[in-house]
Amino acid sequence: MTDKLIIFDTTLRDGEQSPGVTLNTDEKVEIARQLARLGVDVIEAGFPVASPGDFNAVQRIAREVGSSMEGRTGEGRVNEPAIICGLARSVEKDIRTAFDAIKDAPRHRIHVFLATSDIHLEFKLKISREQCKERIREMVGLAKSLCADIEFSPEDAGRSDREFLAEALSVAVAAGATTLNIPDTVGYNTPLEYGSLIKYLREHTPGADQVVWSTHCHNDLGLATANSLAGVSNGARQVEVAVNGIGERAGNTALEEIVMNVHTHPHAYPVHHTINTRLLFSTSRMVEDLSGMTVQANKAIVGRNAFLHESGIHQDGVLKNKQTYEIIRPEDVG
């Protein structure tokens, strides 16, 4: 039996950080309901401390979607409510505010982050490596005192010194982190680099076997999906994704691309998912309509041209046998 791949959706948090995207509270709740029906394991509902509006949206999602089992029961489904997650900087106010926003969900998580790359420590945070580790110890510990399920992300992990990164992550584990998420924050890594980073950290971080390892990849060089899958191949069992790949700058790893890669290559990756793939297209269109972020026509899986054939040779082949040019059945993604 393969391992379960945890699908962590950040459409409502990192996705909403796309330039020009502004969702109101009702729209966020509507998308969260659809993500729950889709079978997403973790819904990162927002960044509660950012504004009263963000706090209210996360709180409503926790209360109204956190216990929903619509579409989540049956064979091949997740069969439990989604975890509702709130993001927090390594700041006491952020962490307490995040907890207040998510606490009404039956299953809830605080996601704490702090940069670990030297360029961020020196120029943005203006702290030393030792101060970084001490802040991780204090803030992850604070989050753990409020909530059992804690995720820690070392921002800009992809450009951090590996030895120091392993040290910082070991501090997070000792303080109570249950998931370690490794962000390629600026989309810099190649699949070979990112996969080897996950492998190195799993082998060199004390307590590595006590936590779930997670990927969070950005698409600045067009490698977000490839990098995330390289992480999975090297032991990551959670992937952070967004519907249609929306997000900061060039976007995040696309949920639909990860799911259908695993779906199409069940023997290539040592994992399985519990997503209802037949809802992928309708979910994509909902996010497109509400966010205003148009899906490019040739976007993999959910683009309008994804299953269209212009070439006469291709049309002839498809009319004779669809498998000549289609590796995914259109009905499988709705």
Side-chain angles (χ1 to χ4, degrees):
M1 184 66 177
T2 56
D3 294 336
K4 168 73 161 64
L5 181 63
I6 299 166
I7 303 297
F8 177 115
D9 184 274
T10 188
T11 303
L12 295 172
R13 201 278 301 169
D14 203 327
E16 204 208 5
Q17 291 175 209
S18 302
V21 173
T22 303
L23 299 168
N24 64 40
T25 298
D26 288 339
E27 291 169 338
K28 290 180 180 181
V29 173
E30 184 178 354
I31 290 173
R33 289 190 190 282
Q34 182 67 11
L35 293 173
R37 284 191 289 266
L38 181 64
V40 163
D41 298 285
V42 185
I43 299 173
E44 188 166 49
F47 192 2
V49 82
S51 69
D54 218 18
F55 178 92
N56 291 335
V58 175
Q59 187 175 66
R60 272 193 61 187
I61 290 167
R63 291 173 175 176
E64 299 177 26
V65 183
S67 58
S68 175
M69 289 297 292
E70 182 184 353
R72 300 179 69 84
T73 59
E75 185 177 357
R77 299 290 174 257
V78 65
N79 289 301
E80 56 186 350
I83 296 169
I84 307 301
C85 177
L87 183 70
R89 295 169 298 181
S90 290
V91 175
E92 181 175 352
K93 181 182 178 182
D94 284 40
I95 291 168
R96 293 191 183 279
T97 302
F99 176 69
D100 287 341
I102 62 170
K103 64 184 180 182
D104 293 330
R107 306 174 71 215
H108 48 264
R109 172 184 297 183
I110 300 174
H111 181 187
V112 181
F113 72 96
L114 182 67
T116 51
S117 68
D118 287 333
I119 191 169
H120 277 247
L121 294 179
E122 180 180 354
F123 294 103
K124 186 180 77 173
L125 299 175
K126 302 186 185 303
I127 60 175
S128 67
R129 288 183 174 186
E130 287 304 313
Q131 289 172 313
C132 174
K133 289 192 291 185
E134 182 56 32
R135 189 175 298 181
I136 292 170
R137 181 179 295 107
E138 291 178 2
M139 294 299 104
V140 172
L142 171 62
K144 190 69 173 183
S145 73
L146 301 171
C147 176
D149 187 352
I150 304 299
E151 177 169 335
F152 176 71
S153 289
E155 186 185 8
D156 204 23
R159 296 189 297 173
S160 297
D161 176 79
R162 289 189 175 191
E163 290 186 14
F164 172 66
L165 186 54
E167 292 175 16
L169 291 171
S170 70
V171 171
V173 174
T178 49
T179 298
L180 295 179
N181 179 53
I182 309 303
D184 181 18
T185 303
V186 293
Y188 175 75
N189 293 141
T190 66
L192 185 61
E193 288 172 332
Y194 190 77
S196 70
L197 175 61
I198 296 293
K199 184 174 187 291
Y200 174 89
L201 293 173
R202 291 182 65 238
E203 291 175 349
H204 292 85
T205 302
D209 58 342
Q210 302 170 26
V211 299
V212 174
W213 290 84
S214 171
T215 70
H216 182 107
C217 298
H218 280 265
N219 207 38
D220 297 72
L221 292 174
L223 294 172
T225 296
N227 285 345
S228 296
L229 290 170
V232 171
S233 294
N234 283 278
R237 290 298 177 263
Q238 174 179 286
V239 286
E240 302 204 350
V241 295
V243 176
N244 299 335
I246 66 173
E248 290 271 13
R249 303 181 314 279
N252 287 282
T253 304
L255 181 153
E256 62 276 4
E257 293 177 13
I258 290 292
V259 168
M260 292 312 295
N261 265 278
V262 172
H263 184 86
T264 305
H265 295 285
H267 303 298
Y269 303 104
V271 294
H272 65 276
H273 68 81
T274 51
I275 295 293
N276 182 355
T277 64
R278 290 175 180 263
L279 294 181
L280 287 173
F281 188 80
S282 59
T283 304
S284 168
R285 289 299 168 265
M286 174 187 287
V287 171
E288 179 183 40
D289 291 343
L290 294 179
S291 70
M293 292 282 290
T294 303
V295 176
Q296 67 190 62
N298 64 335
K299 168 75 174 65
I301 315 301
V302 294
R304 286 166 176 79
N305 292 354
F307 298 100
L308 298 180
H309 303 277
E310 182 71 18
S311 164
I313 295 172
H314 287 210
Q315 291 175 356
D316 178 64
V318 169
L319 288 171
K320 291 173 179 175
N321 186 320
K322 289 186 177 181
Q323 292 184 0
T324 54
Y325 288 101
E326 288 185 358
I327 62 169
I328 298 168
R329 298 187 308 166
E331 57 267 31
D332 285 347
V333 298

